[in-house]
Amino acid sequence: MRLSGSNLLAVSELATPVNKSRIGLISRPRTLKRLFLLPLLFPLAPRAEEASGPALAREWVQLRQTLSAEATEWQTESAHWQTLLELWDVEMDQLETLITEAGQAAVLEEERRSQLEASLAQARKEQATLRQVTARLTPRALTLVTRFPEPLRQELSAPVTELELLETSSREQFRAIVEILTAAGDFHRQATIHTQTIELEGQPLEVDVLYLGLARGWFATADGSQAGLTRPSAEGWSFESQPTLGPRVRQAMAVLKKETRPERIRLPLAIEEVQP
């Protein structure tokens, strides 16, 4: 029988003198150690499963291969998890960027909302002011139109109708007032010839009227037999007969129509200020 190193160690252990009085004390560590080593000194039979040298070598190689394969697999999994961690870091950075941008967008949206609310408040204030101005100017504009000459009243029939309608908005009323004032200003800066029917001495009479703006006018029949002056008043334009003005009024109209050569024509002119 071949003794291994551990068996030799057990033999040397038993070769030492032993105190017989202490053999029965199994609780002592030294006695327990000797009892455990007895099977090593006197094996009953050689065990079949004990591996020889080449078998141990093969087991060692297999163990190394297994460890190497597990190490390789661990490295692969470690690289995979490392890649996932890097992707997660990128996604986290992107998420933080999106959150930051969303926060900035929210701030900008809040600023824009504040600006819109301020603009809306200003618009409402201006609308209220416009309603007040329109309510004050509409009666005055309608009164002013009654004192306009007939050709100008005909031109302003549409805006006057808008002012008279109750359902017209403040914006439309204001636009109508501006249109009336603009047309009145244009009419006042020029001379206008208009054919109309007037009432003279209780009789209707068709005449041509030469309006000098909104200040004064002269009229005459086609043959010049009837003529006179016209001027604005609180009730509208009044017509006064002055038959002697007929030839000069017709001549002035012909010059304005470029039907004859220009020349100086004397017409009675007296500009009077009419109180509003």
Side-chain angles (χ1 to χ4, degrees), residues 7 12 23 34 58 63-64 110 114 129 137 150 172 180 196 203 208 219 253:
N7 290 341
S12 62
I23 292 178
R34 289 172 179 173
R58 285 194 302 270
L63 179 60
R64 292 294 301 271
E110 181 66 22
S114 300
T129 303
L137 292 180
E150 181 177 297
E172 292 175 346
I180 290 172
Q196 65 186 81
Q203 298 295 325
D208 294 326
F219 66 91
M253 292 180 181

Side-chain angles (χ1 to χ4, degrees), residues 142-149 153 232-237 274-276:
L142 292 175
T143 301
L144 186 63
V145 168
T146 61
R147 300 169 61 178
F148 286 165
R153 291 201 310 271
S233 64
E235 292 77 21
W237 286 66
V274 179
Q275 296 295 330

Side-chain angles (χ1 to χ4, degrees), residues 143-274:
T143 301
L144 186 63
V145 168
T146 61
R147 300 169 61 178
F148 286 165
E150 181 177 297
L152 184 56
R153 291 201 310 271
Q154 293 177 354
E155 179 184 349
L156 296 175
S157 60
V160 169
T161 301
E162 290 184 0
L163 286 182
E164 292 174 344
L165 294 176
L166 298 178
E167 62 270 16
T168 304
S169 65
S170 299
R171 184 182 299 274
E172 292 175 346
Q173 287 181 340
F174 186 78
R175 182 187 58 80
I177 292 172
V178 172
E179 185 177 351
I180 290 172
L181 297 178
T182 301
D186 294 339
F187 189 91
H188 188 60
R189 286 190 292 268
Q190 60 188 2
T192 304
I193 299 175
H194 178 69
T195 301
Q196 65 186 81
T197 299
I198 65 173
E199 184 176 343
L200 189 64
E201 297 177 354
Q203 298 295 325
L205 182 66
E206 185 177 88
V207 295
D208 294 326
V209 184
L210 170 59
Y211 291 100
L212 184 63
L214 297 173
R216 185 73 67 177
W218 302 268
F219 66 91
T221 57
D223 58 2
S225 60
Q226 295 288 338
L229 286 81
T230 180
R231 57 184 177 179
S233 64
E235 292 77 21
W237 286 66
S238 62
F239 293 86
E240 301 174 4
S241 178
Q242 291 186 11
T244 58
L245 295 177
R248 284 183 288 172
V249 172
R250 299 306 313 181
Q251 185 66 22
M253 292 180 181
V255 171
L256 288 175
K257 293 179 179 179
K258 298 181 179 180
E259 296 174 350
T260 184
R261 62 182 179 82
E263 60 177 299
R264 295 181 62 184
I265 301 173
R266 296 178 63 88
L267 292 172
L269 181 64
I271 299 179
E272 299 179 3
E273 182 179 1
V274 179

Side-chain angles (χ1 to χ4, degrees), residues 41-92:
L41 290 174
F42 305 101
L44 298 177
R47 293 187 299 176
E49 62 270 15
E50 288 185 356
S52 61
L56 290 175
R58 285 194 302 270
E59 292 179 359
W60 175 253
V61 172
Q62 292 177 358
L63 179 60
R64 292 294 301 271
Q65 291 177 350
T66 302
L67 293 177
S68 177
E70 292 180 355
T72 303
E73 184 179 357
W74 167 250
Q75 291 177 357
T76 303
E77 292 183 358
S78 177
H80 175 69
W81 285 108
Q82 183 64 29
T83 303
L84 289 179
L85 289 175
E86 292 176 356
L87 291 176
W88 288 340
D89 289 340
V90 172
E91 291 179 356
M92 289 297 294

